[in-house]
Amino acid sequence: MTDFDPSAYLPDDLLDRIRERAPLHDRENTFPQADLDELRAAGYLSILVPRERGGAGLGLEQAALLQQRLAGAAPATALAINMHLVWTGVAKVFSDRGAPGLEFVQDGAVAGEVFAFGISEGGNDLVLFGSDTAAVPDGAGGYAFTGTKIFTSLAPVWTKLGLHGLDTTSPDAPKLVFAFVDRTPAVTTADDWDTLGMRGTQSRTTHLDGAVADAAHVVRRIDPGPSPDPTVFGIFAVFEILLASVYTGIARRALELAVATAHRRRSKKSGAAYSQDPDIRWRIADMALAYDALPPQIAVLARDVDERADRGAGWFPALSGVKHRAVTMAKQVVDEAMLVAGGGSYFSANELSRLYRDVLAGAFHPSDPESAHATAASAWLGPIEA
């Protein structure tokens, strides 16, 4: 990636405004509408859309870097926008590989539509490979979806919800159906988002009661379970890389705050700045050593997606692994930053206090630690014998 200037897409003054609003949305548990409005006006919702369709034409590698930058200003805003970017990223995976079917996502993103991610379901550890949501065919190529989706970020503002459900009634059933539904009376959103951190995402529970996707918005019907279909690969790849980017951005910001604190604080005993204290220096060095490993890993994986590299069966352990490492690293770095900053970081008004709470959400996103370890174990040891 050469000659890429992130500030052309996320200017410093825009990030400053977003950072200034972040504590308010965390404190009041509100959606950052002004952030979305400014990002939409800046063309950020269509950064992954090809230029010929009206977007910025960026690759996943560039989007990952931008999401790290945005997360450093407001993690909840970055995480919410991630879910929209997942679908535009999947649309890019489709178009890059000559697969039709998601052009409406690209055109919609350019027009200002907001796409939400409706895959997660309570207790469904199959995630992409299965669904408890019923997908009932309407006889004309469309489907009606009934079920409950959890952690639906962008809940107050999305205009189209990308989701999956299980068709158990067609002659070739069972089939997993991936589609998009509009916000209609058949879709209700619970006002149940009151969490420890990432409060601005407003990732509320979504109830579907026969929500209809017409034939033009049914993207795929595939067999349940692992699949080489570009829908499954695209969702998994873009989701994991952009999630890793958000948490890596949090770690970068925590490191910056720790460095600034070390320069500012002075020891009453010696009169020297904390930046001269050997223990503080070791702690910050430890943070930097952990952080420095992640941006290159994310960049390489994202570039391989952009360039359609053939990693074969190695894709899934690589993708789940980078997400797991990013979250683990970010939590470690924020923990260390809190210790460098001292007791002042324990106050809610301190930015590190918010980062400390926000970073905890990483463990709950797929791939969770159990799934990442199971994937790695299968890659190195083979599957568990039946």
Side-chain angles (χ1 to χ4, degrees), residues 142-218:
Y143 275 86
F145 293 86
T146 299
T148 299
K149 302 292 185 176
I150 61 172
F151 298 142
T152 312
S153 301
L154 300 165
V157 298
W158 63 261
T159 58
K160 280 190 167 53
L161 178 67
L163 76 172
H164 72 341
L166 190 64
D167 174 0
T168 61
T169 61
S170 293
D172 60 350
K175 291 289 184 180
L176 268 181
V177 183
F178 291 85
F180 288 79
V181 301
D182 293 323
R183 190 185 286 275
T184 68
V187 182
T188 56
T189 299
D191 187 9
D192 61 351
W193 190 249
D194 188 7
T195 50
L196 183 66
M198 288 294 188
R199 287 158 64 81
T201 66
Q202 290 302 299
S203 304
R204 305 173 187 175
T205 301
T206 302
H207 300 287
L208 309 163
D209 186 14
V212 173
D214 60 29
H217 294 105
V218 174

Side-chain angles (χ1 to χ4, degrees), residues 59-62 92-93 96-97 233 237 241 296-312 314-315 318-319:
L60 185 58
E61 182 183 2
Q62 296 161 317
K92 175 176 166 53
V93 168
D96 285 350
R97 289 155 179 77
F233 171 75
I241 288 170
Q297 293 179 46
I298 293 170
V300 168
L301 276 176
R303 191 180 312 136
D304 278 359
V305 174
D306 287 334
E307 296 178 355
R308 301 181 288 286
D310 183 9
R311 286 178 174 246
W315 268 118
L319 292 165

Side-chain angles (χ1 to χ4, degrees), residues 29 48 61 69 85 97 117 164 195 221 336 340 359 362:
N29 194 26
L48 286 168
E61 182 183 2
R69 183 170 163 83
L85 293 179
R97 289 155 179 77
F117 193 71
H164 72 341
T195 50
R221 296 177 73 255
E336 298 276 9
V340 170
V359 80

Side-chain angles (χ1 to χ4, degrees), residues 123-140:
N124 177 18
D125 57 358
L126 292 171
V127 195
L128 279 177
F129 303 147
S131 176
D132 293 327
T133 297
V136 179
D138 64 5

Side-chain angles (χ1 to χ4, degrees), residues 330-353:
K331 188 175 185 304
Q332 173 195 338
V333 168
V334 175
D335 283 345
E336 298 276 9
M338 295 281 285
L339 293 174
V340 170
S345 63
Y346 197 60
F347 285 87
S348 294
N350 191 295
E351 185 177 355
L352 275 173
S353 172

Side-chain angles (χ1 to χ4, degrees), residues 63-292:
L65 187 59
L66 288 170
Q67 281 297 92
Q68 292 172 50
R69 183 170 163 83
L70 181 57
T77 296
L79 186 60
I81 295 296
N82 242 28
M83 303 312 169
H84 169 91
L85 293 179
V86 166
W87 286 124
T88 60
V90 175
K92 175 176 166 53
V93 168
F94 269 48
S95 61
D96 285 350
R97 289 155 179 77
L102 283 176
E103 293 81 3
F104 71 88
V105 170
Q106 295 176 328
D107 295 340
V110 171
E113 290 222 62
V114 178
F115 293 88
F117 193 71
I119 299 295
S120 296
E121 299 169 340
N124 177 18
D125 57 358
L126 292 171
V127 195
L128 279 177
F129 303 147
S131 176
D132 293 327
T133 297
V136 179
D138 64 5
Y143 275 86
F145 293 86
T146 299
T148 299
K149 302 292 185 176
I150 61 172
F151 298 142
T152 312
S153 301
L154 300 165
V157 298
W158 63 261
T159 58
K160 280 190 167 53
L161 178 67
L163 76 172
H164 72 341
L166 190 64
D167 174 0
T168 61
T169 61
S170 293
D172 60 350
K175 291 289 184 180
L176 268 181
V177 183
F178 291 85
F180 288 79
V181 301
D182 293 323
R183 190 185 286 275
T184 68
V187 182
T188 56
T189 299
D191 187 9
D192 61 351
W193 190 249
D194 188 7
T195 50
L196 183 66
M198 288 294 188
R199 287 158 64 81
T201 66
Q202 290 302 299
S203 304
R204 305 173 187 175
T205 301
T206 302
H207 300 287
L208 309 163
D209 186 14
V212 173
D214 60 29
H217 294 105
V218 174
V219 179
R220 278 292 193 276
R221 296 177 73 255
I222 61 176
D223 293 332
S227 168
D229 188 88
T231 311
V232 173
F233 171 75
I235 291 174
F236 195 79
V238 180
F239 189 87
E240 298 292 80
I241 288 170
L242 292 183
L243 268 179
S245 300
V246 167
Y247 289 96
T248 298
I250 293 174
R252 171 72 186 218
R253 179 59 178 168
L255 179 55
E256 291 171 348
L257 291 171
V259 168
T261 300
H263 282 301
R264 184 178 66 251
R265 295 181 70 192
R266 305 192 77 84
S267 168
K268 292 290 186 182
K269 182 186 299 183
S270 67
Y274 272 45
S275 60
Q276 305 305 302
D277 183 290
D279 293 331
I280 296 294
R281 293 177 68 85
W282 184 91
R283 196 176 294 282
I284 289 178
D286 202 44
M287 295 163 64
L289 289 168
Y291 164 78
D292 284 344

